[in-house]
Amino acid sequence: MTSLAPEHTVSASGLPRERGGWWHDFVCPTHGTELSHEGIPGPVPPAGGVRCPHGCRVGSEPVRGAWLVLSHQAWARRIRVLAHRAARTGSDADRSEAVALLVAYADVYAEVAGGGEHERAQDWMLRGRLFHQALTDAIWSVSIGHAVWSLAESSPERAADLRPVLPVLDATAEAARAARDRLVADGRFTSNYTAWLNAAGRVCARAAALVRAGAAGAPAVPVADDEWLAGEHGQLAHALAATTRGGWEWEASTYYHGFVLRAYLLSLRGTDPADLPAGARDRLVAMADVLAGLATDDGILPAIHDGPYLRPALALEWTELSALADGFVADAGLDAVAARARREAGADSLEDELRTLPGGWFAGAPLVVDRPARPVVSVDEEVGIAVVRAAGIHAVLDHGPHGAGHGHHDKLALHLYGRATPWQPDPGQVPYGHPGWRDHYMSAAAHPCVRVDDGDPAEATGRLLDRDERSLTVEVRGDATSWYDGARALRRLVAGDGYLLDVVVATADRPRRLTLGLRPDVPLGVRLDGDVIHTAWGGAERLDGVHAAHATGPAGPVPVRAAVRPGPGPADDPQRERAHVDWTAHGATRAVWVSVFRAGGGTGGAGSEPATGVELDVDAAEIRVRRADGVVDVHPLPEEATDD
């Protein structure tokens, strides 16, 4: 962990003196789980290899390189904490320790990274110097740069003792510019890398200027004159190019969205949010609002597309982002996310270093914006992420573009959460260094979505067909290059009175195997009662489901059977076994699945009784939701969209 008790003293002799590799290789090749962080931060990996949670010891060269990445990054974070604390408290001991570590790192950098780009990086990588990836170099140098910034700004008369660090600051800023130029030349300006390369360039350049100015002080550069912020390829241009009008980072990955926003806010240190151009300022506010709107009331952030399902190191990043967001915009809405992340991290989140820095992280007060009441249904149509809130159920429906290299085959996947319970969560992703499990968690089989003939579809983009205040309908179509050729599906969600109604319709141009999956991360009970299935979902909160289905083929009705079989849990531990349900019609050209979900055993509105049953009448094209008192709610069966 990266917590640092006030009395703790660290030694420069513990710094790694080797280049790091790629952190995604820090995964057990047998079990697919991230390895133990034992010995981090430290100089060398544990003798005999690194432990996996299931008892393995792994000491391969890729794992060794990944351990070194995590150790270097943890050391940089510790130095930043020491420097911020010295600036806040005036502690000579903290300052001396931070300076000693920075000077020692300058020697390490010159020794192991001064020869240029990392020769062991894979061909597809944007090569770094201290690490395989230029992105990893940038993340590390942002922490180093902020440490120098804090020390030089709080004690300018003592800046001379930081001059040995100038070669590192200059080299990392130059490397960031060179890497950014390569991305731009390759037409990849919107890459999430760019945000961190700009952050590294801005932070390291500013830190170096403060050291060189010394006692005279380095005046702040106006935002409009700061090339790293306001230049043609600076942060503000990137924020507008790499996000939707609604604020989503274009890959529609929860992890990479927060990753990019954190880089933006770290790079904006010392600026007044009110001085930013209105377009970029509003976009950053929208990015924070995206996370607040996606999170459940207890702070669960669904792990849409690539990103860890659960990881203490990521939890620390969420606490840091929450602190930065609060400094940028009043009532950022991430308090529950930060509180949950602190519990997941199991240690001091260190967010106080950002909240209590003298003068604050930003030079001005947080922006004050008017926010309307949170709607029952919210949709970002550009990335195709919808959130529906229905009587204690927090439903997330993914239907938009694939998400490029960080996308999953999860079109029309429905993820279900309670306030604090992940009933049917997005499963997230393992570290990328495990190709087998990475392929699984990208697959349709890992997600609660429609599958055709049990294979993975081609990359596809769904579309929103209609919406109102309490419902929405989305669809995805297949052709020779998209989704499943000759097939289409739509999914409709309705926030009913005390329940969530889920309707899925799939059609095919020839008899196919049409399947709808349920993928819980809680104990699941499944009971067949005639033609209706009842499900009972465990966890801290209860969820009850009642389900019906109907399918037809060329010769008439086709049976739809729900098979329960063991399957892997979410990506934090693929070895955690869960009950997977595949609800399949063999040889069908059309299948309809209807589910009514009710949270906590509660009722609907005043005077209404809980929903207890569902009937699917395809001849009448309607769905009937029955309540305990005999009252029936009738919903029309959605029609498949016609060709444009």
Side-chain angles (χ1 to χ4, degrees):
M1 282 300 164
T2 58
S3 59
L4 187 63
E7 71 280 1
H8 189 75
T9 299
V10 292
S11 169
S13 63
L15 295 179
R17 304 195 72 87
E18 301 175 63
R19 282 174 159 178
W22 188 39
W23 95 260
H24 282 286
D25 283 325
F26 204 62
V27 60
C28 176
T30 300
H31 296 100
T33 51
E34 184 172 349
L35 300 171
S36 166
H37 285 223
E38 61 184 319
I40 296 174
V44 293
V50 186
R51 287 185 299 108
C52 130
H54 297 281
C56 304
R57 281 277 183 180
V58 188
S60 65
E61 187 58 34
V63 165
R64 195 174 189 282
W67 185 97
L68 288 165
V69 171
L70 298 173
S71 187
H72 277 296
Q73 297 286 15
W75 275 113
R77 179 63 183 265
R78 282 197 171 194
I79 295 167
R80 193 186 85 173
V81 172
L82 282 166
H84 288 358
R85 195 170 64 195
R88 184 179 76 245
T89 67
S91 167
D92 284 339
D94 286 340
R95 189 183 192 284
S96 296
E97 196 167 351
V99 170
L101 286 166
L102 286 166
V103 172
Y105 243 134
D107 290 339
V108 170
Y109 192 90
E111 176 186 341
V112 306
E117 294 181 347
H118 203 308
E119 71 282 354
R120 294 187 183 179
Q122 298 176 45
D123 290 341
W124 63 267
M125 293 178 173
L126 189 65
R127 290 174 181 263
R129 299 184 181 186
L130 185 58
F131 308 99
H132 281 187
Q133 294 255 53
L135 173 63
T136 320
D137 276 61
I139 296 169
W140 175 83
S141 62
V142 166
S143 289
I144 294 296
H146 275 306
V148 175
W149 185 330
S150 294
L151 295 171
E153 187 174 60
S154 62
S155 302
E157 73 284 356
R158 303 166 69 183
D161 59 7
L162 292 165
R163 294 190 70 82
V165 190
L166 286 173
V168 176
L169 299 176
D170 293 341
T172 51
E174 184 275 329
R177 185 183 300 280
R180 187 187 66 179
D181 288 348
R182 287 199 294 274
L183 289 176
V184 171
D186 291 343
R188 298 170 57 201
F189 172 60
T190 58
S191 167
N192 60 72
Y193 287 32
T194 306
W196 280 95
L197 295 170
N198 277 329
R202 202 263 168 163
V203 170
C204 291
R206 177 64 181 163
L210 287 166
V211 172
R212 288 188 168 98
V221 177
V223 171
D225 297 327
D226 191 323
E227 187 273 335
W228 289 105
L229 298 181
E232 180 183 5
H233 299 121
Q235 285 298 54
L236 304 184
H238 188 265
L240 293 175
T243 63
T244 69
R245 288 166 293 179
W248 264 100
E249 196 266 343
W250 70 274
E251 295 165 293
S253 156
T254 309
Y255 171 73
Y256 285 102
H257 180 95
F259 182 70
V260 166
L261 179 58
R262 191 163 60 94
Y264 292 156
L265 298 180
L266 284 169
S267 67
L268 287 169
R269 180 179 179 180
T271 66
D272 186 338
D275 289 342
L276 298 178
R281 180 186 66 218
D282 294 346
R283 192 63 59 89
L284 294 178
V285 172
M287 291 186 74
D289 287 347
V290 160
L291 293 174
L294 181 65
T296 72
D297 289 345
D298 196 55
I300 298 175
L301 275 171
I304 298 171
H305 295 176
D306 269 4
Y309 177 72
L310 187 68
R311 185 173 186 252
L314 174 58
L316 292 174
E317 294 177 13
W318 289 129
T319 64
E320 179 177 280
L321 178 55
S322 173
L324 292 166
D326 282 344
F328 189 80
V329 57
D331 300 320
L334 298 178
D335 289 350
V337 171
R340 186 176 188 87
R342 282 193 291 271
R343 296 193 298 271
E344 290 175 356
D348 179 3
S349 71
L350 305 179
E351 63 177 323
D352 284 348
E353 62 165 303
L354 303 178
R355 294 187 186 276
T356 61
L357 197 66
W361 191 260
F362 300 100
L367 299 168
V368 177
V369 299
D370 292 327
R371 290 188 172 88
R374 182 171 293 171
V376 173
V377 178
S378 59
V379 187
D380 188 302
E381 294 186 30
E382 290 181 78
V383 297
I385 302 296
V387 177
V388 178
R389 301 168 183 84
I393 300 172
H394 187 95
V396 179
L397 178 60
D398 184 353
H399 62 279
H402 184 74
H406 295 300
H408 291 179
H409 295 293
D410 56 357
K411 295 308 96 179
L412 274 57
L414 176 65
H415 305 293
L416 301 173
Y417 302 83
R419 177 185 179 88
T421 303
W423 290 309
Q424 180 165 262
D426 193 301
Q429 182 57 278
V430 297
Y432 301 158
H434 198 295
W437 280 117
R438 187 183 184 197
D439 286 348
H440 168 76
Y441 286 106
M442 290 175 64
S443 73
H447 294 86
C449 61
V450 174
R451 306 197 310 278
V452 178
D453 294 337
D454 280 340
D456 272 339
E459 294 182 9
T461 298
R463 64 171 181 163
L464 177 70
L465 297 182
D466 64 67
R467 62 176 292 195
D468 56 35
E469 293 181 353
R470 300 189 66 82
S471 66
L472 80 158
T473 306
V474 298
E475 74 154 5
V476 63
R477 302 184 184 194
D479 57 29
T481 61
S482 176
W483 205 54
Y484 296 100
D485 187 22
R488 68 173 61 172
L490 67 79
R491 193 159 205 160
R492 180 167 177 80
L493 297 182
V494 180
D497 186 10
Y499 58 86
L500 176 71
L501 173 65
D502 172 36
V503 186
V504 182
V505 182
T507 59
D509 61 356
R510 59 191 184 276
R512 312 284 288 272
R513 183 187 302 112
L514 304 179
T515 300
L516 178 67
L518 299 179
R519 295 294 183 263
D521 188 32
V522 294
L524 180 71
V526 181
R527 176 172 58 86
L528 180 64
D529 184 5
D531 293 331
V532 174
I533 294 172
H534 295 265
T535 55
W537 307 63
E541 303 151 276
R542 196 179 93 203
L543 181 71
D544 295 308
V546 57
H547 317 265
H550 182 273
T552 54
V558 172
V560 187
R561 296 187 174 92
V564 183
R565 56 175 60 88
D572 61 311
D573 186 0
Q575 306 307 313
R576 184 167 67 247
E577 188 174 282
R578 292 303 191 194
H580 285 193
V581 180
D582 282 335
W583 204 357
T584 302
H586 294 265
T589 53
R590 184 174 187 266
V592 182
W593 300 271
V594 176
S595 299
V596 175
F597 295 103
R598 179 167 51 92
T603 62
S608 64
E609 293 294 321
T612 58
V614 64
E615 295 176 3
L616 171 59
D617 188 334
V618 293
D619 293 328
E622 64 182 29
I623 300 157
R624 305 180 193 110
V625 179
R626 295 194 175 276
R627 298 185 178 275
D629 59 2
V631 172
V632 178
D633 296 345
V634 179
H635 299 271
L637 186 64
E639 297 181 3
E640 295 94 325
T642 59
D643 291 327
D644 292 334

